[in-house]
Amino acid sequence: MRKKIVAGNWKMNKSWPEAMELTKSLSLNSSSFPADVQVIVSPPALYLQGVRSELPETLAIAAQNCSQHESGAYTGEISAGMLKSMGVAYCIIGHSERRQYYGETNEVIREKIDACLKNGVTPIFCCGEILSERNSGEHFNTVSTQVKQALFHLSEEQLALVVIAYEPVWAIGTGVTASNEQAEEMHAFIRSIVAQHYSETIANDISILYGGSVNAANAKELFACPNVDGGLVGGASLKAADFTTIIQAAQ
Ligand code: 13P
């Protein structure tokens, strides 16, 4: 049975006092979170430990990125092993902002996935097409290439540990959400290529989250799509009330 997951990606937002205020509000609201939804909070790396210590154990934390390297002279970087040693259970890998602004290729993303799995950190692997690819009908090819190049070298056992997030780049931070039909179609497609390469069982068990302008008003319909197992939420995860509504919508 695949897990329902709602993850909040704070990106590079909030001062430390603001981050603590949001964390405390989420802790207070957490008694109203559905028991069958894994809630994940992904603050900036600097705040991971502080946020972890304020959250109930039932909520998990995620880093927004990690290095593909184990350790050594990589100034400014954080390894998956370091994350694990600090109680960070998840790490977002291959977010489109990392691909776009920091030049992360499918090859680097694959190495980061490997680093996470080697160190017992669950990768939340992001994929998604840009607008011109959607408009020219290339979106299935783009996503298929991203998924295959980053994940398909993994064993069945390893893939079963990965969470996939489909985040069409044109929907991120734009207020333009993919329609329920567009989201469902791509999620079903991703599941089908996983089924072809691995098995129906693995494909049925992997959680595929939708990301891109998810908000308190549209979450319920998106999460009701049969192949959408929750969301990776940016802007709306910065407000405790909105994020709480989104979490409840995943029930
Ligand atoms: P928004 O929800 O702000 O569109 O961001 C989505 C996202 O990039 C989550 O990783």
Side-chain angles (χ1 to χ4, degrees):
M1 255 291 281
R2 55 193 192 241
K3 253 197 224 169
K4 289 181 190 170
I5 299 172
V6 175
N9 176 7
W10 295 3
K11 308 191 180 182
M12 196 176 74
N13 290 296
K14 295 203 178 281
S15 66
W16 173 238
E18 289 166 349
M20 273 296 95
E21 196 185 318
L22 174 55
T23 305
K24 285 185 173 136
S25 300
L26 289 175
S27 293
L28 282 176
N29 292 356
S30 64
S31 57
S32 72
F33 296 169
D36 62 342
V37 177
Q38 175 65 64
V39 177
I40 305 173
V41 175
S42 187
L46 185 61
Y47 303 159
L48 280 165
Q49 192 183 19
V51 169
R52 170 69 285 164
S53 65
E54 283 293 326
L55 286 176
E57 280 299 314
T58 48
L59 274 65
I61 52 169
Q64 297 174 13
N65 177 39
C66 73
S67 171
Q68 66 271 42
H69 303 293
E70 274 300 309
S71 64
Y74 301 101
T75 301
E77 292 291 285
I78 295 172
S79 72
M82 292 172 184
L83 293 176
K84 180 69 179 177
S85 71
M86 297 285 288
V88 181
Y90 293 84
C91 184
I92 298 171
I93 297 290
H95 192 280
S96 64
E97 288 148 18
R98 302 284 326 164
R99 294 175 187 262
Q100 193 180 349
Y101 306 137
Y102 302 97
E104 286 193 11
T105 59
N106 289 329
E107 177 55 36
V108 166
I109 290 163
R110 168 193 174 117
E111 289 172 12
K112 291 187 175 194
I113 297 274
D114 289 344
C116 283
L117 291 172
K118 188 172 171 199
N119 287 283
V121 174
T122 299
I124 302 173
F125 163 73
C126 301
C127 56
E129 79 284 359
I130 60 174
L131 185 60
S132 60
E133 291 166 335
R134 163 77 47 180
N135 288 339
S136 62
E138 274 299 300
H139 47 298
F140 292 115
N141 271 343
T142 300
V143 170
S144 160
T145 302
Q146 290 171 340
V147 170
K148 287 179 179 169
Q149 291 191 358
L151 300 181
F152 278 14
H153 63 292
L154 299 175
S155 67
E156 278 198 5
E157 293 70 27
Q158 287 174 315
L159 187 82
L161 300 170
V162 175
V163 175
I164 297 177
Y166 169 58
E167 298 206 306
V169 181
W170 47 271
I172 295 178
T174 58
V176 181
T177 317
S179 67
N180 301 335
E181 293 72 25
Q182 287 171 323
E184 172 59 20
E185 181 182 43
M186 186 58 86
H187 284 227
F189 171 74
I190 294 169
R191 218 177 284 289
S192 76
I193 58 176
V194 171
Q196 273 165 30
H197 191 79
Y198 292 91
S199 67
E200 288 285 345
T201 311
I202 296 282
N204 277 329
D205 282 354
I206 197 160
S207 295
I208 308 179
L209 315 183
Y210 169 79
S213 296
V214 175
N215 60 40
N218 62 25
K220 201 159 187 74
E221 277 197 8
L222 279 164
F223 297 167
C225 297
N227 281 292
V228 176
D229 305 312
L232 180 53
V233 185
S237 74
L238 299 172
K239 294 183 191 135
D242 286 10
F243 193 51
T244 298
T245 303
I246 294 167
I247 293 162
Q248 289 165 345
Q251 195 166 20

Short mmCIF file of all heavy atoms in Angstrom, two decimals, residues 7-11 92 95-97 126 165 167-169 171-176 210-215 231-238, ligand 1:
data_model
loop_
_atom_site.label_atom_id
_atom_site.label_comp_id
_atom_site.label_asym_id
_atom_site.label_seq_id
_atom_site.Cartn_x
_atom_site.Cartn_y
_atom_site.Cartn_z
N ALA A 7 4.15 17.20 1.83
CA ALA A 7 5.42 17.80 2.22
C ALA A 7 5.40 19.29 1.92
O ALA A 7 4.92 19.71 0.87
CB ALA A 7 6.57 17.12 1.45
N GLY A 8 5.91 20.07 2.86
CA GLY A 8 6.00 21.52 2.67
C GLY A 8 7.43 21.93 2.41
O GLY A 8 8.30 21.73 3.26
N ASN A 9 7.67 22.47 1.23
CA ASN A 9 9.01 22.93 0.85
C ASN A 9 9.07 24.45 1.08
O ASN A 9 8.49 25.21 0.31
CB ASN A 9 9.26 22.58 -0.62
CG ASN A 9 10.59 23.11 -1.13
OD1 ASN A 9 11.40 23.64 -0.36
ND2 ASN A 9 10.82 22.97 -2.43
N TRP A 10 9.76 24.82 2.13
CA TRP A 10 9.82 26.26 2.48
C TRP A 10 10.76 27.03 1.57
O TRP A 10 10.80 28.25 1.62
CB TRP A 10 10.27 26.44 3.94
CG TRP A 10 9.33 25.89 4.96
CD1 TRP A 10 8.16 25.21 4.74
CD2 TRP A 10 9.49 25.97 6.39
NE1 TRP A 10 7.58 24.87 5.94
CE2 TRP A 10 8.37 25.32 6.96
CE3 TRP A 10 10.45 26.52 7.23
CZ2 TRP A 10 8.20 25.21 8.34
CZ3 TRP A 10 10.29 26.41 8.61
CH2 TRP A 10 9.17 25.76 9.15
N LYS A 11 11.55 26.32 0.78
CA LYS A 11 12.56 26.97 -0.08
C LYS A 11 13.41 27.93 0.77
O LYS A 11 13.68 27.64 1.93
CB LYS A 11 11.87 27.64 -1.27
CG LYS A 11 10.95 26.65 -2.01
CD LYS A 11 10.44 27.13 -3.33
CE LYS A 11 9.55 26.06 -3.94
NZ LYS A 11 9.03 26.42 -5.25
N ILE A 92 14.73 16.30 -0.49
CA ILE A 92 14.24 16.63 -1.83
C ILE A 92 15.44 16.60 -2.77
O ILE A 92 16.49 17.18 -2.46
CB ILE A 92 13.58 18.03 -1.84
CG1 ILE A 92 12.36 18.06 -0.90
CG2 ILE A 92 13.18 18.42 -3.26
CD1 ILE A 92 11.78 19.46 -0.68
N HIS A 95 15.00 19.11 -7.50
CA HIS A 95 13.95 20.12 -7.67
C HIS A 95 14.27 20.97 -8.91
O HIS A 95 15.43 21.23 -9.20
CB HIS A 95 13.88 21.02 -6.42
CG HIS A 95 12.66 21.88 -6.41
ND1 HIS A 95 12.58 23.04 -7.14
CD2 HIS A 95 11.47 21.74 -5.78
CE1 HIS A 95 11.38 23.57 -6.97
NE2 HIS A 95 10.69 22.81 -6.14
N SER A 96 13.24 21.43 -9.60
CA SER A 96 13.48 22.17 -10.86
C SER A 96 14.30 23.43 -10.62
O SER A 96 15.03 23.88 -11.50
CB SER A 96 12.16 22.52 -11.53
OG SER A 96 11.41 23.38 -10.73
N GLU A 97 14.20 24.00 -9.41
CA GLU A 97 15.01 25.20 -9.13
C GLU A 97 16.49 24.83 -9.02
O GLU A 97 17.37 25.62 -9.37
CB GLU A 97 14.49 25.89 -7.86
CG GLU A 97 13.15 26.58 -8.12
CD GLU A 97 12.19 26.62 -6.96
OE1 GLU A 97 12.62 26.44 -5.81
OE2 GLU A 97 10.98 26.84 -7.20
N CYS A 126 12.24 14.85 -7.71
CA CYS A 126 11.35 15.74 -8.47
C CYS A 126 11.60 15.63 -9.97
O CYS A 126 12.75 15.56 -10.42
CB CYS A 126 11.59 17.19 -8.08
SG CYS A 126 11.33 17.52 -6.33
N ALA A 165 8.01 13.09 -6.98
CA ALA A 165 7.14 14.28 -7.02
C ALA A 165 7.11 14.80 -8.44
O ALA A 165 8.17 15.14 -9.00
CB ALA A 165 7.65 15.35 -6.06
N GLU A 167 6.37 17.75 -10.62
CA GLU A 167 6.19 19.19 -10.46
C GLU A 167 6.39 19.87 -11.82
O GLU A 167 7.53 20.21 -12.20
CB GLU A 167 7.22 19.77 -9.47
CG GLU A 167 7.11 19.21 -8.07
CD GLU A 167 7.65 20.19 -7.03
OE1 GLU A 167 8.80 20.64 -7.16
OE2 GLU A 167 6.89 20.53 -6.12
N PRO A 168 5.29 20.08 -12.57
CA PRO A 168 5.46 20.79 -13.83
C PRO A 168 5.99 22.19 -13.55
O PRO A 168 5.43 22.91 -12.72
CB PRO A 168 4.03 20.83 -14.41
CG PRO A 168 3.11 20.51 -13.28
CD PRO A 168 3.90 19.75 -12.26
N VAL A 169 7.08 22.54 -14.22
CA VAL A 169 7.79 23.79 -13.88
C VAL A 169 6.88 25.01 -14.09
O VAL A 169 6.93 25.96 -13.32
CB VAL A 169 9.10 23.90 -14.71
CG1 VAL A 169 9.86 25.17 -14.37
CG2 VAL A 169 9.98 22.68 -14.45
N ALA A 171 3.94 25.30 -13.41
CA ALA A 171 2.93 25.43 -12.34
C ALA A 171 3.56 25.86 -11.01
O ALA A 171 2.84 26.13 -10.05
CB ALA A 171 2.21 24.09 -12.16
N ILE A 172 4.88 25.92 -10.96
CA ILE A 172 5.55 26.21 -9.70
C ILE A 172 5.58 27.72 -9.45
O ILE A 172 6.15 28.47 -10.25
CB ILE A 172 6.99 25.64 -9.68
CG1 ILE A 172 6.94 24.11 -9.74
CG2 ILE A 172 7.75 26.12 -8.46
CD1 ILE A 172 8.30 23.45 -9.78
N GLY A 173 4.94 28.12 -8.37
CA GLY A 173 4.98 29.53 -7.96
C GLY A 173 4.23 30.47 -8.89
O GLY A 173 4.37 31.68 -8.79
N THR A 174 3.44 29.92 -9.81
CA THR A 174 2.78 30.75 -10.80
C THR A 174 1.30 30.96 -10.51
O THR A 174 0.67 31.82 -11.10
CB THR A 174 2.87 30.10 -12.20
OG1 THR A 174 2.25 28.79 -12.12
CG2 THR A 174 4.30 29.96 -12.66
N GLY A 175 0.76 30.16 -9.62
CA GLY A 175 -0.69 30.20 -9.39
C GLY A 175 -1.46 29.41 -10.45
O GLY A 175 -2.67 29.27 -10.37
N VAL A 176 -0.74 28.92 -11.46
CA VAL A 176 -1.38 28.09 -12.49
C VAL A 176 -1.16 26.63 -12.12
O VAL A 176 -0.06 26.10 -12.28
CB VAL A 176 -0.75 28.35 -13.89
CG1 VAL A 176 -1.44 27.51 -14.96
CG2 VAL A 176 -0.80 29.82 -14.23
N TYR A 210 2.07 15.39 -6.22
CA TYR A 210 1.96 16.48 -7.19
C TYR A 210 2.45 17.78 -6.54
O TYR A 210 2.14 18.06 -5.37
CB TYR A 210 0.50 16.67 -7.66
CG TYR A 210 0.38 17.96 -8.44
CD1 TYR A 210 0.80 18.02 -9.77
CD2 TYR A 210 -0.04 19.14 -7.81
CE1 TYR A 210 0.79 19.23 -10.45
CE2 TYR A 210 -0.06 20.34 -8.49
CZ TYR A 210 0.36 20.38 -9.81
OH TYR A 210 0.37 21.58 -10.48
N GLY A 211 3.20 18.57 -7.30
CA GLY A 211 3.62 19.89 -6.81
C GLY A 211 3.47 20.95 -7.89
O GLY A 211 3.69 20.67 -9.08
N GLY A 212 3.09 22.14 -7.47
CA GLY A 212 2.92 23.25 -8.42
C GLY A 212 1.63 23.99 -8.12
O GLY A 212 0.56 23.57 -8.55
N SER A 213 1.76 25.05 -7.31
CA SER A 213 0.61 25.89 -6.96
C SER A 213 -0.53 25.12 -6.28
O SER A 213 -1.71 25.43 -6.50
CB SER A 213 0.10 26.67 -8.18
OG SER A 213 1.10 27.57 -8.64
N VAL A 214 -0.16 24.12 -5.48
CA VAL A 214 -1.18 23.48 -4.63
C VAL A 214 -1.56 24.49 -3.55
O VAL A 214 -0.70 25.15 -2.97
CB VAL A 214 -0.63 22.21 -3.95
CG1 VAL A 214 -1.65 21.62 -2.97
CG2 VAL A 214 -0.23 21.17 -4.99
N ASN A 215 -2.86 24.64 -3.31
CA ASN A 215 -3.29 25.56 -2.25
C ASN A 215 -4.47 24.96 -1.49
O ASN A 215 -4.94 23.86 -1.81
CB ASN A 215 -3.60 26.96 -2.82
CG ASN A 215 -4.71 26.92 -3.86
OD1 ASN A 215 -5.70 26.20 -3.70
ND2 ASN A 215 -4.55 27.70 -4.92
N GLY A 231 0.97 15.78 -1.93
CA GLY A 231 1.55 16.94 -2.59
C GLY A 231 2.87 17.39 -2.03
O GLY A 231 3.23 17.10 -0.88
N LEU A 232 3.61 18.09 -2.88
CA LEU A 232 4.82 18.81 -2.46
C LEU A 232 4.48 20.28 -2.64
O LEU A 232 4.28 20.76 -3.76
CB LEU A 232 6.01 18.38 -3.33
CG LEU A 232 7.37 19.03 -3.04
CD1 LEU A 232 7.77 18.91 -1.58
CD2 LEU A 232 8.47 18.40 -3.90
N VAL A 233 4.36 20.97 -1.52
CA VAL A 233 3.73 22.29 -1.50
C VAL A 233 4.78 23.35 -1.20
O VAL A 233 5.52 23.23 -0.23
CB VAL A 233 2.64 22.31 -0.39
CG1 VAL A 233 1.88 23.62 -0.43
CG2 VAL A 233 1.71 21.11 -0.53
N GLY A 234 4.81 24.39 -2.01
CA GLY A 234 5.74 25.49 -1.77
C GLY A 234 5.07 26.61 -1.00
O GLY A 234 4.91 26.53 0.22
N GLY A 235 4.66 27.65 -1.71
CA GLY A 235 4.14 28.87 -1.08
C GLY A 235 3.09 28.64 0.00
O GLY A 235 3.16 29.25 1.08
N ALA A 236 2.16 27.74 -0.27
CA ALA A 236 1.06 27.53 0.70
C ALA A 236 1.52 26.80 1.96
O ALA A 236 0.79 26.76 2.95
CB ALA A 236 -0.09 26.78 0.03
N SER A 237 2.74 26.26 1.94
CA SER A 237 3.23 25.59 3.16
C SER A 237 3.85 26.60 4.14
O SER A 237 4.24 26.24 5.25
CB SER A 237 4.27 24.51 2.81
OG SER A 237 5.51 25.08 2.44
N LEU A 238 3.93 27.85 3.72
CA LEU A 238 4.51 28.88 4.60
C LEU A 238 3.48 29.45 5.55
O LEU A 238 3.82 30.27 6.42
CB LEU A 238 5.12 30.00 3.74
CG LEU A 238 6.27 29.56 2.82
CD1 LEU A 238 6.67 30.70 1.89
CD2 LEU A 238 7.48 29.10 3.64
P1 13P B 1 4.51 26.28 -5.18
O1 13P B 1 3.56 25.45 -4.36
O2 13P B 1 4.87 27.59 -4.53
O3 13P B 1 4.04 26.42 -6.58
O4 13P B 1 5.89 25.48 -5.24
C1 13P B 1 5.87 24.14 -5.56
C2 13P B 1 7.21 23.57 -5.33
O5 13P B 1 8.17 23.90 -6.02
C3 13P B 1 7.38 22.63 -4.21
O6 13P B 1 8.62 22.01 -4.25
#
